[in-house]
Amino acid sequence: MPDIILGIESSCDDTSAAVISDRYLLSNVIASQEVHRAFGGVVPELASRAHELNIVPVVSEALSRAGVKPSELTAIAFTRGPGLLGSLLVGTSFAKALSISLDVPIVMVNHLQGHVLANFVRQADKPVCEPSFPYLCLLVSGGNSQIVKVSSPLEFEILGQTIDDAVGEAFDKCSKMMGLGYPGGPVIDRLAAQGDPERFHFAKPHIPGLDYSFSGVKTSLLYFVRDELARDPEFMEKNKADICASFQKCLIDILMDKLIKASAQTGIREITIGGGVSANSGLRRRITEEGGRRGWKTYLPEFKFTTDNAAMIAIAGYFHYLNGERAPLDVAPVSRIADF
Ligand code: KG4
């Protein structure tokens, strides 16, 4: 009998449920919350209310698309944290309630483990393409910028991480500052494709070791745009594509510099990326090119597994389930988790 796991993800502004049978994906449903767009960022209170509205239909849709009856579930994996507490509470409470009603165990998952294990979600109609252990994962999202060494599905070590903003935050805040909209990453990515990445230069940080910093480059862009607009009020409109291309290149240079160092220091050449920013086309191209030059084996998850989704929670939960882990029913969500 296969183990059938229902995954539930509600850490930020996506309500998602997925069903896997052993490692194979049967369904992955994501309800994104449009309500935040007008505010230029996620409004925590609105996010938890939207999760409350979405969770029942999203879970039923995932079960129905998978062709799985609730009584057939082996376990329920849910995101315990990190994330927005109100949002996490909805998924956690729902998982507990379903577990009691079906008499199946719950397994708690660290959201970040989900991102770094996303490559292990298998799809019946696609070839299996999974990194060997140990591998390095560049985890880049709205809340994280980390290089993680993954030695097994249950063993993680953070080699470097941001000391201030996450790279996704830099994309989002700078997009807002330039009046380009939210979320900023996809907008900047699209505009960058039409621009010259060598036209403008922004200050890069000098942080020791494998840690990152993105607050300085954000400030550098802010002053640059302010000064240029003072000279020519049309500057932004006339140069948007080049500014985006140059800014994106600067962020990618920063990310790649430490990833290359991490690979050289550890001797690990199996490289994956995860998190929302790993959808960035410039970053994907650079990792593939650098990888080709340096003899890396690179694994780029499909777009649907890069942003928040329950398939990655289900697969991470599956490994914990196999390891005999079960969460108690009084488990509480946590907004911050210091490590993996
Ligand atoms: O992993 P994610 O969906 O949510 C969390 O942060 O937990 O990541 C969202 C982040 C946002 O900052 C968004 O701007 C960024 O991922 N993002 C991108 C792209 N698509 C999404 N950043 C750069 N290029 C993209 N194509």
Side-chain angles (χ1 to χ4, degrees), residues 11-309:
S11 64
C12 190
D13 60 340
D14 294 301
T15 318
S16 180
V19 180
I20 58 168
S21 174
D22 285 338
R23 287 157 81 153
Y24 282 88
L25 186 67
L26 302 181
S27 66
N28 186 32
V29 177
I30 305 173
S32 299
Q33 303 175 0
E34 289 304 314
V35 64
H36 308 287
R37 201 171 282 275
F39 299 92
V42 178
V43 184
E45 182 56 29
L46 295 180
S48 32
R49 289 186 205 180
H51 283 303
E52 279 179 345
L53 291 176
N54 292 340
I55 190 89
V56 172
V58 164
V59 170
S60 354
E61 181 66 18
L63 288 168
S64 122
R65 282 193 206 168
V68 164
K69 294 199 221 52
S71 59
E72 292 173 310
L73 292 175
T74 311
I76 302 163
F78 67 96
T79 304
R80 184 187 183 206
L84 302 171
L85 203 54
S87 293
L88 291 163
L89 256 175
V90 178
T92 307
S93 310
F94 188 85
K96 288 185 199 179
L98 197 59
S99 142
I100 294 169
S101 73
L102 299 173
D103 196 22
V104 293
I106 46 172
V107 180
M108 59 189 179
V109 172
N110 177 331
H111 177 81
L112 304 177
Q113 289 186 10
H115 277 304
V116 305
L117 295 172
N119 281 88
F120 292 92
V121 178
R122 293 183 179 168
Q123 299 175 85
D125 56 346
K126 309 247 162 78
V128 172
C129 183
E130 295 167 1
S132 326
F133 297 103
Y135 64 87
L136 297 181
C137 178
L138 177 67
L139 175 54
V140 276
S141 71
N144 294 278
S145 303
Q146 297 177 325
I147 299 174
V148 184
K149 177 180 165 189
V150 187
S151 301
S152 83
L154 303 169
E155 286 173 275
F156 310 88
E157 185 189 349
I158 300 171
L159 301 182
Q161 60 188 325
T162 182
I163 57 168
D164 43 51
D165 290 349
V167 62
E169 235 176 312
F171 272 110
D172 292 340
K173 288 184 179 162
C174 288
S175 170
K176 194 170 172 184
M177 186 176 88
M178 294 187 284
L180 299 176
Y182 170 85
V187 185
I188 292 181
D189 192 359
R190 203 176 53 244
L191 285 165
Q194 300 143 30
D196 174 4
E198 302 297 341
R199 170 106 185 270
F200 304 113
H201 296 277
F202 304 104
K204 289 198 186 116
H206 296 282
I207 308 293
L210 297 174
D211 285 339
Y212 286 119
S213 164
F214 293 99
S215 70
V217 60
K218 206 178 62 188
T219 312
S220 168
L221 178 75
L222 174 74
Y223 289 156
F224 166 77
V225 170
R226 186 197 60 188
D227 294 348
E228 293 296 339
L229 281 177
R231 278 191 277 273
D232 173 7
E234 304 288 300
F235 177 80
M236 192 63 225
E237 206 39 49
K238 288 184 207 153
N239 297 288
K240 307 208 262 218
D242 289 348
I243 298 171
C244 287
S246 306
F247 178 64
Q248 178 171 293
K249 176 175 183 294
C250 176
L251 296 180
I252 295 172
D253 285 347
I254 297 170
L255 290 173
M256 290 308 298
D257 180 42
K258 296 293 170 92
L259 184 61
I260 290 166
K261 274 197 189 126
S263 168
Q265 279 177 20
T266 58
I268 297 173
R269 292 186 182 167
E270 295 276 309
I271 310 286
T272 72
I273 52 176
V277 179
S278 68
N280 185 269
S281 51
L283 178 61
R284 292 171 91 89
R285 205 167 35 246
R286 271 286 284 286
I287 286 210
T288 310
E289 284 165 9
E290 288 287 349
R293 267 197 293 278
R294 292 169 193 277
W296 294 353
K297 269 183 96 176
T298 51
Y299 304 83
L300 309 182
E302 281 180 51
F303 287 111
K304 64 182 178 200
F305 300 131
T306 59
T307 46
D308 290 348
N309 68 87

